[in-house]
Amino acid sequence: MMNIFLPLRRIIILQGIEREAGRELSNEMLQRLLKAHCHACSISEINEQIAWLENRGYVKAARMGDSGMVNVRITRAGIDVATGHARAEGIDPPPEE
């Protein structure tokens, strides 16, 4: 069954990374970010979303050996979606500020 919150979680992830000074966050920080937006997720769920976004060219992920840590950097296409300059299927538009 499709999780109706996945498109919202994906825009939260992209906006969180885009707003970060270095435009990079770890999977653990993304887990905290989603929890702060009332979307508690396991690390494996976060990693699934990272992979989904990476497969579509919105982020680049760097896996850190066997630690389970993944650093995620937003791409130019991801910035366009995060800022509302482009729309992407499977990702909610940015919420109105």
Side-chain angles (χ1 to χ4, degrees), residues 6-94:
L6 291 180
L8 177 59
R9 288 179 182 171
R10 292 170 185 148
I11 194 65
I12 291 169
I13 288 169
L14 287 177
Q15 286 189 314
I17 300 169
E18 193 275 328
R19 291 176 178 158
E20 190 64 25
R23 291 197 165 146
E24 184 173 335
L25 283 174
S26 71
N27 55 348
E28 293 175 356
M29 292 305 294
L30 290 171
Q31 184 181 38
R32 291 181 188 177
L33 172 72
L34 284 167
K35 186 175 182 182
H37 284 86
C38 301
H39 290 269
C41 305
S42 69
I43 281 290
S44 66
E45 289 174 304
I46 300 295
N47 290 342
E48 285 174 22
Q49 293 314 303
I50 292 167
W52 189 94
L53 290 164
E54 185 174 36
N55 286 337
R56 286 154 183 83
Y58 300 119
V59 300
K60 291 277 187 201
R63 283 134 188 99
M64 302 304 182
D66 296 334
S67 69
M69 177 83 77
V70 180
N71 283 331
V72 186
R73 178 176 293 279
I74 196 165
T75 64
R76 180 71 244 176
I79 291 168
D80 285 343
V81 173
T83 56
H85 291 101
R87 294 291 310 268
E89 190 173 333
I91 304 173
D92 278 355

